[in-house]
Amino acid sequence: MAYALEKSIGFKINQTANRINNKFNTLLQKYDIAPEQRATLEIIKYEKDVNQTKIANILAKDKTTISRTLATLEKKGFILKKQIDKRTNLIELTLEGEKILEESAFIVKEFRKKISSNLDENEINKIVELLEKVALSMEE
């Protein structure tokens, strides 16, 4: 007999995200970096004038979580914070941060390919479109 949880979109999205994250976590262990930390480094590398608020918005995380992530990355020597004013820090990658991104790039690329390996381009586009619609419904 089916119950409501099995048909819940939120549950299925979360269940899939957890499986992806757990596998990705395992792959990144040898670099001593978690998936969210690596995503943060990638954002810092490619976004202009990035700060904690911008990272939180991109990752859809609260500022406290991002603050902890940034503190960990700073402690590992992967980022530097430059204080602009009392409330704003610009964040930059260090050479060590660049190095960890480069070293893990192949694994990340292959992992991203694997996620979509059973899907054609139309299916990938449709999933992205549907997930964006779901996300928009959370803003209402």
Side-chain angles (χ1 to χ4, degrees):
M1 183 169 132
Y3 53 99
L5 195 57
E6 291 177 330
K7 299 287 185 194
S8 166
I9 292 170
F11 176 76
K12 283 311 230 183
I13 290 170
N14 195 48
Q15 186 182 50
T16 302
N18 286 339
R19 286 182 177 153
I20 290 168
N21 206 39
N22 289 340
K23 180 66 176 172
F24 199 29
N25 220 340
T26 301
L27 291 172
L28 290 175
Q29 275 180 343
K30 68 180 174 183
Y31 301 102
D32 188 32
I33 193 165
E36 189 169 284
Q37 292 170 358
R38 193 186 184 288
T40 301
L41 291 177
E42 205 168 311
I43 291 166
I44 293 165
K45 179 177 176 94
Y46 294 106
E47 289 289 326
K48 290 220 180 284
D49 301 325
V50 71
N51 59 33
Q52 181 177 328
T53 302
K54 192 171 191 178
I55 294 168
N57 289 337
I58 291 169
L59 292 177
K61 299 279 186 174
D62 61 85
K63 287 182 185 177
T64 304
T65 300
I66 298 306
S67 181
R68 281 194 304 270
T69 299
L70 292 172
T72 301
L73 291 171
E74 191 172 30
K75 200 178 290 183
K76 289 180 178 184
F78 296 155
I79 65 166
L80 286 174
K81 292 181 188 174
K82 292 186 176 181
Q83 192 161 8
I84 301 302
D85 57 46
K86 287 183 180 183
R87 305 179 101 204
T88 309
N89 287 316
L90 283 184
I91 304 159
E92 296 177 349
L93 288 181
T94 62
L95 290 175
E96 198 62 32
E98 290 274 0
K99 182 179 171 192
I100 203 74
L101 274 177
E102 190 177 310
E103 287 176 358
S104 60
F106 179 76
I107 283 177
V108 171
K109 183 179 176 189
E110 291 301 305
F111 183 71
R112 288 174 179 165
K113 265 202 282 189
K114 181 180 171 106
I115 289 173
S116 59
S117 64
N118 291 329
L119 304 168
D120 65 35
E121 193 173 337
N122 289 333
E123 290 171 321
I124 293 167
N125 292 337
K126 192 63 174 176
I127 288 171
V128 169
E129 177 188 330
L130 293 171
L131 287 172
E132 286 171 351
K133 277 178 105 172
V134 171
L136 277 176
S137 71
M138 296 298 100
E139 294 177 10
E140 296 171 349

